[in-house]
Amino acid sequence: MPYILGLNSGSSFDGVDAVLCTIELSPDGHPARPKFVDGLTVDWPLELRTQIMLAFDNSLTLFEMCRVNYAAGALFAEAVNSLLLKADLKPEDIDVIGYDGQTVYQEPPDRPKNNEYKKSGSKSLVEKWTKGGWPCGFFIAESGVVAALTNITTVTQFRPVDHALGGSGAPLMQYLDFVSFRGDGGPTVTLNIGGIANLQLADADRSKMMAFDTGPGNVMIDHIVKARTGKTYDKDGELAAKGTVIEPLLKHMLTHQFFARKPPRSAWRLDFGAGYADQILEQYKAASTEDLLATLTMFTATSIESSLVDFILPRTTITKVVASGGGVRNTTLMNNLREKLGKLGLDLKVSDEFGLPAVYKEAIKFATMAFAAKRGLANNIPAAGGAESYAVLGKLSMAPRLAKNGGEVKSVANGTNGVH
């Protein structure tokens, strides 16, 4: 049973998670549910974190971004090597590394423009992006650096192929959910609460699946905590628990234009990032930190509830929602969700109960997608993401140790390459 290794730094941007799992192919040709072995998290170095935050605001030059991309790859490689050391494994023990990279920018498909392009009869592939509203994104942590510095074959950049096929490219959790829950005897709804929150309807019949972002997860909560207290997040939702929801603010946020979009839809910092949070801080500067956090925490819970009611419950019968992501550690958020879902007759579970640790599930997702990609298996779900066909998502960088027909490398320290 091969070892696979996954990495993730999500929209919360609160560290790089690394996970070690085992996985095997099932008789139906799809991967079986991965089995978690070990995991760890490494912090972003302050200097690199500061530069990436500038990149989120489009404030780095292209030349600066180039070096940041390689440096981020080096950090991902350090996370891999630390986990190998912890687990007493060697590079040759690992089948593949999978990660998507740190998202710096993501632009969802503009469906009306897509339709206009199709109706125009244009044969220009270039115009899909210059005029047609096709989705795109930019994701850093160079895979060549990771493969070279770990000596393990690496698969990354899972979204561009889906984008080119007209898919939203986000969320991507639906493949792991198909792999993990297709044998559970009926549809399963999963909820991932990272910086952005998303819902997945998993089904053994992939044509019946859904996946879409519900709105903010932790990203705005974390921003306001940092702006008001200097801390990075609201530990256990303790500050929010002391506050009172500001009803006019909650009502206003629920009118955000994002909620007019229909699935498949994806959100990013352009929707619910620092800019939007700063507007709220300015408008409600007299409000207490606790009240602001109570309101934003309820905003996340309410947008999740609304998405379930509007898009999933009308098409299927479910009894539970399986949650994962860093948001499950926010007790106030989980209490809000349990109350709201309880009124819908739904149980709120945590993915740990199914062998998938909630805080590492996104990293497990990328490990599983890489395992599939290396074997040429379709690892997208067109019905969920909107792509026009099944495809193999991910770009592969081979481990240097697997290079064939190489020669002896004497030394490069003296300025000569010494390659024969």
Side-chain angles (χ1 to χ4, degrees), residues 174-401:
Q174 58 267 25
Y175 182 70
L176 175 59
D177 289 339
F178 165 71
V179 163
S180 299
F181 297 106
R182 70 184 185 279
D184 281 14
T188 298
V189 170
T190 69
L191 166 65
N192 186 68
I193 312 172
I196 300 297
N198 46 72
L199 284 167
Q200 288 73 221
L201 173 61
D203 197 293
D205 182 348
R206 286 174 288 177
S207 70
K208 296 179 180 178
M209 289 182 62
M210 294 183 74
F212 58 94
D213 288 341
T214 63
N218 308 311
V219 65
M220 291 176 62
I221 296 170
D222 292 348
H223 182 84
I224 286 181
V225 169
K226 185 172 179 59
R228 285 290 187 93
T229 73
K231 297 179 181 179
T232 54
Y233 67 102
D234 183 11
K235 187 175 184 293
D236 298 325
E238 290 174 353
L239 292 173
K242 297 174 183 176
T244 301
V245 172
I246 305 168
E247 293 294 344
L249 173 57
L250 177 60
K251 184 176 180 180
H252 170 72
M253 290 190 295
L254 289 169
T255 66
H256 192 289
Q257 58 86 24
F258 169 81
F259 298 111
R261 303 177 202 164
K262 306 297 183 187
R265 67 185 185 190
S266 56
W268 179 233
R269 288 176 177 267
L270 294 182
D271 294 301
F272 299 111
Y276 190 50
D278 284 338
Q279 290 177 27
I280 292 168
L281 283 169
E282 177 62 27
Q283 186 177 358
Y284 287 86
K285 61 177 64 175
S288 72
T289 300
E290 291 80 2
D291 287 355
L292 285 172
L293 291 174
T295 307
L296 287 171
T297 303
M298 184 61 75
F299 179 39
T300 292
T302 303
S303 57
I304 292 168
E305 174 200 28
S306 298
S307 294
L308 274 166
V309 170
D310 292 344
F311 305 120
I312 290 183
L313 296 183
R315 61 187 290 168
T316 191
T317 299
I318 58 171
T319 59
K320 65 181 182 294
V321 174
V322 181
S324 63
V328 302
R329 293 180 289 191
N330 185 321
T331 303
T332 302
L333 175 57
M334 293 296 280
N335 287 341
N336 289 345
L337 279 170
R338 281 196 176 90
E339 182 179 353
K340 289 179 175 295
L341 270 56
K343 292 177 180 177
L344 298 174
L346 301 175
D347 239 355
L348 181 62
K349 304 281 190 181
V350 178
S351 63
D352 298 63
E353 299 176 44
F354 301 86
L356 301 168
V359 295
Y360 289 131
K361 192 180 173 208
E362 288 196 86
I364 295 170
K365 163 189 69 180
F366 289 126
T368 307
M369 292 184 73
F371 175 86
K374 189 181 174 193
R375 288 155 178 80
L377 303 175
N379 55 2
N380 69 334
I381 309 287
E388 61 193 36
S389 69
Y390 286 100
V392 179
L393 308 186
K395 303 176 184 178
L396 184 145
S397 296
M398 296 291 289
R401 62 187 168 81

Side-chain angles (χ1 to χ4, degrees), residues 21-34:
C21 302
T22 58
I23 196 167
E24 59 185 353
L25 282 175
S26 293
D28 65 0
H30 296 293
R33 181 184 294 174

Side-chain angles (χ1 to χ4, degrees), residues 152-179:
I152 300 170
T153 296
T154 300
V155 180
T156 186
Q157 300 280 341
F158 293 99
R159 303 180 201 270
V161 168
D162 203 63
H163 285 161
L165 292 171
S168 59
L172 289 174
M173 188 64 78
Q174 58 267 25
Y175 182 70
L176 175 59
D177 289 339
F178 165 71
V179 163

